[in-house]
Amino acid sequence: MIDERIFLGYPIDFKDICQIYPPTVNDVCGNKDFLIYQSLFTMTQEDLEDAYADSAGATKVPTPFQYLLMNYYQDDEMKEKIHDAFMKFVHEPVTIVPEIEMLLIGKSEDELDPDVDLENPRLLTEENYFDFQNAIRTVMGEDTIKPPEPEDPNLDPRIKRYKEKVKRSERLIAKKKRKKGGGPNFGTLLAAICCMGIGLTPLNIGEISYACVHWLITMEQQREEYDIDIRALLAGADSKKVKPKYWIKNIDEKEL
């Protein structure tokens, strides 16, 4: 479903902690590190399990929040990228408070005054990071993810391992299908929108939100399908077989 705030480029509120801003086409295309930013903020537990399963000698798999902190501490380059990622999506600096292993929103390390800034802190924690990730997915125009279901403590370990293998196989198959692609690339979608006659050109299309690209293309497809069906009926097509559905509808609306 199209979120009007993101469509128009307005930020959404994330609890009482921060606002999250929809990236523009220019933000995505004009920054070579943007995919790294997106990956850091949307990495799932399953993604990490797959990655660690392919690593020799890997033991405990971190959570997405632990993985973010690990990258923060990894080296100065990754630390800088994480700072840049927050500035791109949140428009505020962040710093890790080492004593509590949490991310403080709104202050950089050189600005932090523990006696003042930790009285009413705006913190990203293990507990709220899953929701933060879903908020990032929302401004990117992606589907959000449901919280994982709690595991049955009485489940036979052999059955658990079998289920995990099946799920991992399904994920790997899905990833291979996505890599094969088959659809138009992002540049082609931008060019197509510029040909729609709605006032977007290579000179200004970079200013719209990244999520708009998918939504505009999908709405145009719905309109074209409706027009084709109407023309078919006017040309004598069987009205029992051709039943036009009006094109102005939610893009995730399922046909009954």
Side-chain angles (χ1 to χ4, degrees):
M1 182 177 295
I2 295 176
D3 186 310
E4 65 276 10
R5 299 163 300 172
I6 296 167
F7 187 84
L8 295 174
Y10 292 111
I12 62 173
D13 293 324
F14 175 63
K15 305 182 184 295
D16 294 325
I17 297 174
C18 63
Q19 289 187 311
I20 300 178
Y21 291 76
T24 65
V25 170
N26 279 337
D27 289 333
V28 176
C29 296
N31 191 322
K32 61 181 178 59
D33 290 326
F34 192 88
L35 292 179
I36 297 176
Y37 304 160
Q38 183 181 0
S39 177
L40 283 168
F41 286 157
T42 59
M43 179 77 69
T44 67
Q45 189 66 45
E46 291 179 340
D47 291 334
L48 289 168
E49 288 172 359
D50 291 343
Y52 275 69
D54 294 333
S55 301
T59 53
K60 185 179 179 180
V61 179
T63 65
F65 186 67
Q66 290 169 344
Y67 182 74
L68 180 70
L69 298 187
M70 287 166 55
N71 277 279
Y72 189 94
Y73 285 125
Q74 179 177 318
D75 54 49
D76 289 340
E77 183 178 355
M78 281 305 301
K79 186 175 181 179
E80 184 177 352
K81 289 185 188 302
I82 290 173
H83 279 295
D84 291 345
F86 275 99
M87 289 301 297
K88 185 63 66 178
F89 280 102
V90 180
H91 292 192
E92 292 189 81
V94 298
T95 188
I96 285 184
V97 184
E99 295 80 7
I100 54 177
E101 289 290 297
M102 296 178 184
L103 278 166
L104 175 68
I105 303 288
K107 293 288 182 179
S108 60
E109 287 185 11
D110 56 347
E111 298 174 326
L112 181 63
D113 182 349
D115 294 331
V116 177
D117 298 320
L118 296 183
E119 289 184 0
N120 297 292
R122 293 181 290 138
L123 296 171
L124 275 185
T125 68
E126 184 72 69
E127 287 68 32
N128 64 23
Y129 189 64
F130 181 88
D131 293 333
F132 177 81
Q133 287 187 298
N134 269 340
I136 294 292
R137 294 183 183 101
T138 296
V139 299
M140 291 295 296
E142 299 177 1
D143 293 332
T144 55
I145 295 177
K146 294 180 180 179
E149 296 180 0
E151 292 184 357
D152 181 359
N154 300 317
L155 187 64
D156 187 307
R158 292 170 297 179
I159 297 176
K160 179 182 177 181
R161 286 194 297 271
Y162 173 74
K163 286 186 174 182
E164 288 174 349
K165 287 181 179 180
V166 171
K167 287 182 180 179
R168 183 165 189 261
S169 296
E170 291 173 347
R171 293 197 299 270
L172 292 175
I173 291 171
K175 285 180 181 178
K176 287 181 180 179
K177 287 182 179 179
R178 287 196 297 270
K179 285 182 179 179
K180 287 182 179 179
N185 62 29
F186 192 64
T188 300
L189 297 181
L190 294 179
I193 292 173
C194 290
C195 295
M196 288 181 186
I198 57 175
L200 290 173
T201 73
L203 299 178
N204 61 15
I205 196 169
E207 299 169 12
I208 69 173
S209 67
Y210 175 80
C212 269
V213 174
H214 168 71
W215 292 335
L216 288 172
I217 289 291
T218 303
M219 291 297 291
E220 176 67 9
Q221 290 173 334
Q222 290 180 177
R223 187 187 66 79
E224 288 179 348
E225 289 172 2
Y226 176 77
D227 287 347
I228 290 171
D229 285 345
I230 292 295
R231 288 198 294 269
L233 289 175
L234 293 174
D238 188 346
S239 61
K240 293 182 179 179
K241 295 181 179 179
V242 179
K243 298 180 179 180
K245 301 292 184 181
Y246 193 53
W247 65 278
I248 300 180
K249 58 186 178 183
N250 292 334
I251 61 174
D252 55 356
E253 187 175 302
K254 304 298 182 183
E255 299 291 349
L256 300 178

